[in-house]
Amino acid sequence: MNQKSINRDIMRQLINPSLEKSFCESVIQTLNDKSASEKARLLETLQESMDIFKQKAKSFKAPEFYRQMCDKIKDKIHECETLFDVTLGDILALVNGTGISITDVAPDYLSPQDIAEVIDEKVIGQEEYTHALALCVYLQVVRAMHQDTELPKRNLLVYGPTGVGKTYSIQVLAKMMNVEFQTVNCNTLVQEGIIGPSISDALTHAYIRNKDFTDICIFFDEVDKLFKDGYYNERILQELLAYLDDDGEVSFATKFGNTNVTYKKFPTRNIMVVLGGVFDMLKGIVAKRVFPNKVGFTSKQKPQDADFYDYVKKEDFAEIFKNDELVGRIGQFVRVRPMTRDMMRDILKSETASPIIPYVNFFDKHGMTVTLTDDGAERILDTVLKEKLGVRGLKSILGTILQDDMARVKHSASTSIVIDDEYVTRHLPEIQEEAHAV
């Protein structure tokens, strides 16, 4: 972690209402004079203090105590504004996990651009998608704050290759904004009244986990499977349309099972809907429209490795859905980009979004350091790109190459792990097999 990043992390920890202003001023004034090891110890101490505060804040459930805690946080934010530039990310880091809503302590910090900047700290290379998500959630927040005013609802459909962050982006967003989040796997959906997973299960799960939820984000994953030949189900489509409604209601069971089941209604204005899928069937539709006299993208006008997603238009989805009402209720269609080597490298080397961070934390808890070298990163990328594994592949490969050291962590004589080319090659069986074959 570079010094600029650790300085930022230290200041982020200062938005802790349990810290005195004089102490915060002293930290900022002397920060540049401290060594890297001193900063690391300071950050660890501040994080421990923040954890204690969060545990205390979580216990303030009664309305009067909740308001007192919100007032305390607001006062601390105003105090810190005189010491450094406070960002939405700083405040979200404070309230995350406490049950305290960002709208109750810092509504002025919310804007589509600020929300997008926070998501982009965790999701690399998908700005078009993350910025569209940011606008959706901002509209949802404003609608929740002004229930008596007619405001727009923006449903979003995201399409593109798998393994590039469609689901992860929404998980980050929901956690960041303290909004209930549920995924509906459309690949296994059945209509209401039939045994099996249904759309309303998302609300049932949310109710079981938190009976007081007022807003929810539902991600309909693999929604393109609903429109595959042989699967199309008009009843499920009508149920989906109800969730996309601006100002309606949907019913859900308060528990699973057949006994003592009650039903509740939930307003669709409080549901943020994102539909996601690969939509590979677009390829044939786009080919017919762009090159009506050619087969696919094999003509001289277009290389064989063309990305057909570049040519997709809203009208192409209308041909898939065969339902104008569905197309009309989706406010925006946005694509996710396939992972390039540069994007994957940026993710792997990111100080906020890299999949290596959990492993670094694991070994740190056992007094060990982990260093990823440039040649080690390139060897990992070689394997991920060859197998077309996407971001999930980065996580999988890191787990594979580090599992031996993780297993003997308490019996290891080493205090450091250097993930270089040799280390990756030694711990990936497929690379060893290739080497022996040569």
Side-chain angles (χ1 to χ4, degrees):
M1 181 178 290
N2 62 46
Q3 292 304 299
K4 183 178 179 181
S5 294
I6 196 170
N7 285 358
R8 182 69 244 181
D9 286 345
I10 287 172
M11 287 191 288
R12 175 166 286 185
Q13 299 298 317
L14 297 181
I15 310 182
N16 178 347
S18 62
L19 300 178
E20 296 291 337
K21 183 178 181 180
S22 58
F23 171 78
C24 297
E25 290 175 331
S26 175
V27 168
I28 293 174
Q29 290 169 2
T30 61
L31 194 55
N32 291 330
D33 298 328
K34 295 183 182 298
S35 65
S37 59
E38 288 175 325
K39 289 179 181 180
R41 288 193 296 271
L42 173 61
L43 180 58
E44 185 176 355
T45 301
L46 291 173
Q47 287 172 333
E48 290 174 356
S49 177
M50 180 68 84
D51 290 340
I52 293 172
F53 169 77
K54 286 189 172 187
Q55 287 299 320
K56 181 181 179 181
K58 286 171 66 174
S59 65
F60 283 73
K61 298 293 186 182
E64 64 272 20
F65 294 122
Y66 178 85
R67 286 193 295 270
Q68 290 176 16
M69 181 58 69
C70 288
D71 289 340
K72 195 172 184 179
I73 291 174
K74 285 189 280 189
D75 289 342
K76 187 61 180 182
I77 292 171
H78 293 321
E79 177 185 294
C80 287
E81 287 172 340
T82 67
L83 302 176
F84 58 89
D85 291 331
V86 178
T87 69
L88 175 61
D90 297 333
I91 302 171
L92 288 170
L94 168 66
V95 300
N96 187 256
T98 65
I100 295 172
S101 172
I102 183 70
T103 58
D104 290 333
V105 294
D108 292 343
Y109 276 81
L110 287 171
S111 74
Q113 182 176 336
D114 290 321
I115 295 171
E117 288 176 358
V118 177
I119 307 176
D120 289 341
E121 289 182 12
K122 294 288 188 181
V123 182
I124 309 296
Q126 299 294 353
E127 287 78 10
E128 183 181 359
Y129 174 40
T130 57
H131 289 216
L133 270 179
L135 178 56
C136 284
V137 78
Y138 179 73
L139 288 171
Q140 195 69 13
V141 168
V142 173
R143 284 166 65 93
M145 292 172 64
H146 304 280
Q147 293 278 352
D148 58 342
T149 306
E150 186 176 347
L151 295 167
K153 176 180 177 179
R154 194 172 185 85
N155 301 308
L156 177 68
L157 183 143
V158 55
Y159 61 96
T162 187
V164 297
K166 290 194 289 288
T167 307
Y168 177 66
S169 298
I170 307 173
Q171 289 172 332
V172 168
L173 186 61
K175 182 179 179 181
M176 176 182 82
M177 300 300 296
N178 194 30
V179 173
E180 285 288 330
F181 171 76
Q182 284 292 326
T183 297
V184 173
N185 188 340
C186 296
N187 194 36
T188 58
L189 270 186
V190 298
Q191 65 193 44
E192 291 289 347
I194 305 296
I195 296 177
S198 65
I199 294 177
S200 67
D201 287 353
L203 295 175
T204 304
H205 281 297
Y207 184 82
I208 292 172
R209 185 172 60 250
N210 182 3
K211 291 180 172 57
D212 298 324
F213 78 99
T214 56
D215 295 273
I216 186 170
C217 173
I218 302 180
F219 178 53
F220 290 89
D221 195 14
E222 297 191 81
V223 73
D224 50 329
K225 300 294 175 56
L226 296 179
F227 304 96
K228 291 281 189 181
D229 291 339
Y231 189 91
Y232 190 87
N233 186 311
E234 183 65 29
R235 176 75 179 272
I236 292 178
L237 176 59
Q238 292 303 316
E239 292 169 6
L240 177 60
L241 282 170
Y243 280 75
L244 296 169
D245 192 10
D246 277 359
D247 198 18
E249 284 186 329
V250 289
S251 298
F252 68 95
T254 57
K255 59 180 288 188
F256 294 108
N258 299 318
T259 59
N260 300 320
V261 177
T262 59
Y263 288 84
K264 285 186 174 291
K265 291 186 179 296
F266 194 81
T268 56
R269 67 175 292 116
N270 294 354
I271 301 175
M272 173 181 162
V273 175
V274 181
L275 311 172
V278 176
F279 284 94
D280 52 4
M281 66 272 269
L282 286 167
K283 188 169 186 176
I285 296 172
V286 170
K288 286 190 296 183
R289 175 171 54 77
V290 178
F291 305 113
N293 299 319
K294 302 291 182 180
V295 178
F297 289 106
T298 58
S299 72
K300 294 181 180 179
Q301 297 170 279
K302 189 65 182 171
Q304 289 188 356
D305 61 353
D307 185 355
F308 71 93
Y309 290 117
D310 288 339
Y311 296 86
V312 171
K313 293 184 178 181
K314 185 175 181 178
E315 63 196 63
D316 299 322
F317 288 95
E319 186 169 340
I320 292 174
F321 296 155
K322 299 180 176 61
N323 186 296
D324 293 338
E325 191 177 2
L326 178 56
V327 176
R329 291 191 187 184
I330 298 173
Q332 185 174 1
F333 295 78
V334 62
R335 66 173 292 189
V336 284
R337 300 282 171 181
M339 285 285 130
T340 65
R341 189 182 191 93
D342 287 343
M343 290 168 64
M344 298 279 276
R345 184 185 297 110
D346 288 343
I347 292 171
L348 192 55
K349 292 298 190 74
S350 170
E351 294 184 349
T352 57
S354 175
I356 201 173
I357 292 174
Y359 296 99
V360 171
N361 294 339
F362 172 82
F363 285 105
D364 179 66
K365 297 299 181 185
H366 296 85
M368 301 172 67
T369 62
V370 176
T371 304
L372 175 64
T373 66
D374 289 341
D375 65 330
E378 295 306 317
R379 175 60 74 180
I380 291 172
L381 293 175
D382 286 342
T383 306
V384 171
L385 292 168
K386 179 181 178 181
E387 301 297 328
K388 299 180 180 179
L389 298 174
V391 178
R392 295 190 187 98
L394 291 177
K395 299 178 181 179
S396 175
I397 287 178
L398 285 168
T400 298
I401 65 178
L402 288 168
Q403 63 184 357
D404 289 344
D405 281 315
M406 292 176 70
R408 58 172 180 263
V409 66
K410 288 193 174 182
H411 302 280
S412 175
S414 174
T415 58
S416 65
I417 296 173
V418 179
I419 306 176
D420 55 14
D421 187 306
E422 187 276 331
Y423 184 94
V424 176
T425 302
R426 179 158 42 92
H427 288 86
L428 276 183
E430 53 266 39
I431 295 181
Q432 295 178 25
E433 290 173 4
E434 289 179 6
H436 290 314
V438 173

